[in-house]
Amino acid sequence: MTFLSALSPDIKHLLTIEQAWAYKIVPEKSDAKGLHLFIDEKQSITDIQNELEIVLGKTIQLTPVSFDQIEKSLNINYPKAYQNVNEVAAVQLSIKDGNFLESLVREAQNLRSSDIHIEVYDDKCRIRFRVDGQLIERHKVNKSEYPTLINKIKIEAKCDIAEKRLPQDGRIRFTVNNSKIDIRVSILPTLHGEKVVLRLLGNDATHIDILKLGFTKEELERYQMAIQKTHGIILISGPTGSGKTTTLYATLKLLNKSKSNILTIEDPIEYTLDGVNQVQLKDDIGLTYSEALRTFLRQDPDVIMLGEIRDADTAQMAIRAALTGHMVLSTIHTNSAWGTISRLIDMGVPPYLLANTINLSVAQRLVRMLCQHCKKQEAFNSLELPKAFQTAAITKQFKAVGCNQCYFTGYKGRKAVYEVINITKELAEYIKEQKSTISDYCKLNKISTLAENVLTLFENGETSLEEIYPYLIHEN
């Protein structure tokens, strides 16, 4: 009989979190002979077997295994926030429970999850959590109960429960673990039913500290110098989920003074800040980024934050706001800091206007950090790196292992890496000339690229080769 450390949701749900930890047991299967469980071999097998048969109302078959195996499986399949089972109430999920959705959100928050995916297929329904950028299957739902679950979410999100053919969006607000959680709900009709994604948004931005985001000392100096200017544009680029909004709010915290009028237009509003006037985008009634910007310019602003520059109209309005003496902060989807310039030119913004308005261009990514409790050091040969980086003098590496501190994933938390380019007079001329690359300029002025920064994290033993390799290939 083989001990399984990773369980399917239907096997995992044979026990509650409370039962698994209290008795140090892990389920194997359920069949005609009863419920088969693995148990810590150091415990009194007979006594616990008798007690479990009374508690669970089933015939119990126990297989002793080592405590290390039990502990590993408990942390993977029945994880507790902060790894202390006495500090967090057990979460036993039942769709029939009126607090099911709140329990689901609490579990997601305890696991530091950013999104909850509720999905239906031909023969199964499942719930997955996104933790540190990776999706993990957590629960399985009976297909007969799935419509009830979706309707509960629709009612909480103030969506139309009768509409099953078109996508819908909504919002839910909860107070969980003494903190306010704002949830963005997206409902999508699929072949077998409606898929729901819940994005968990932390309302309070007071905990965000720009010193802890991941800037190097030199990058932070360049960044802070740029945001002290009274007008111009600061752009942060990167894919969805790379932490751009968090960086923007850390910036707003620095600029949020009683003498400043700060206005934001966002979709969605991910954080709240006292003293900042925030507006929710509403495309369906005509409240677009560009329309909000037009109104903002009549509101005597000092600082304007746009959630995203999506189109030519918004880009033109942002340029206009900067030209008329305002500081504009925004995000854009590009692969590099200098690539942002080409993207705006492609949108129809004249290069000479960009050269005169952009103060700073930043590219950003999030990299998973190795768990400091279990990472393992090994010898390393630089030939394992892409060709452009094989000259790096790196002789050791750290690999992900897994322990009870990181739910046996090998990683714990993420860190932002940046590429920060101040638009100097020399670069302004490059913009006017529409130069496609500035690699020589960056080397001469010691401006680190994203690839160089993730390689530094690897060299310092903070992350793994597998985690940084995609960034190195892109640079290569």
Side-chain angles (χ1 to χ4, degrees), residues 72-228:
K72 179 177 180 180
S73 189
L74 286 174
N75 279 286
I76 291 174
N77 299 292
Y78 302 97
K80 294 287 190 175
Y82 317 117
Q83 301 303 327
N84 188 333
V85 297
N86 297 317
E87 291 182 7
V88 183
V91 178
Q92 174 61 22
L93 299 179
S94 170
I95 293 175
K96 296 177 181 178
D97 181 3
N99 295 323
F100 169 78
L101 187 57
E102 184 176 340
S103 299
L104 191 67
V105 172
R106 183 181 292 111
E107 182 187 4
Q109 188 189 45
N110 288 341
L111 294 175
R112 309 184 310 276
S113 173
S114 60
D115 300 86
I116 303 172
H117 290 242
I118 303 171
E119 304 162 314
V120 59
Y121 299 94
D122 184 32
D123 57 350
K124 67 176 182 178
C125 307
R126 65 180 180 179
I127 298 176
R128 295 188 293 171
F129 292 170
R130 188 176 292 280
V131 179
D132 288 339
Q134 306 293 311
L135 279 171
I136 302 170
E137 185 169 338
R138 293 291 299 157
H139 301 285
K140 192 167 283 187
V141 179
N142 291 331
K143 196 157 185 181
S144 61
E145 295 182 324
Y146 192 80
T148 302
L149 170 58
I150 299 302
N151 284 339
K152 283 186 176 184
I153 294 173
K154 284 183 173 181
I155 290 169
E156 291 283 353
K158 297 180 173 57
C159 295
D160 184 357
I161 63 172
E163 180 56 73
K164 302 180 186 297
R165 301 166 302 168
L166 296 173
Q168 295 189 71
D169 295 312
R171 300 181 81 86
I172 303 174
R173 288 178 174 83
F174 280 128
T175 299
V176 176
N177 297 339
N178 296 319
S179 63
K180 293 180 180 179
I181 300 293
D182 195 13
I183 302 169
R184 183 179 67 183
V185 180
S186 175
I187 303 171
L188 176 70
T190 67
L191 177 62
H192 300 291
E194 293 175 288
K195 170 183 167 66
V196 177
V197 175
L198 308 178
R199 165 63 64 88
L200 278 60
L201 307 171
N203 277 130
D204 188 8
T206 56
H207 66 283
I208 300 174
D209 187 349
I210 199 167
L211 299 177
K212 298 177 181 179
L213 294 182
F215 285 109
T216 65
K217 181 181 178 182
E218 295 77 14
E219 289 169 345
L220 186 60
E221 288 176 354
R222 292 201 298 272
Y223 191 84
Q224 290 179 317
M225 181 176 66
I227 66 175
Q228 295 307 316

Side-chain angles (χ1 to χ4, degrees), residues 8-25:
S8 62
D10 53 338
I11 297 296
K12 181 171 59 181
H13 288 168
L14 293 171
L15 297 175
T16 69
I17 295 176
E18 212 166 34
Q19 291 164 346
W21 279 98
Y23 293 102
K24 299 295 187 295
I25 53 177

Side-chain angles (χ1 to χ4, degrees), residues 47-60:
D47 290 345
I48 291 180
Q49 182 175 10
N50 293 334
E51 186 173 338
L52 284 172
E53 288 183 344
I54 295 172
V55 171
L56 300 176
K58 298 179 180 180
T59 301
I60 301 298

Side-chain angles (χ1 to χ4, degrees), residues 414-425:
R414 291 187 291 177
K415 186 176 184 179
V417 290
Y418 295 92
E419 183 177 291
V420 181
I421 298 178
N422 289 80
I423 306 302
T424 60
K425 290 183 178 179

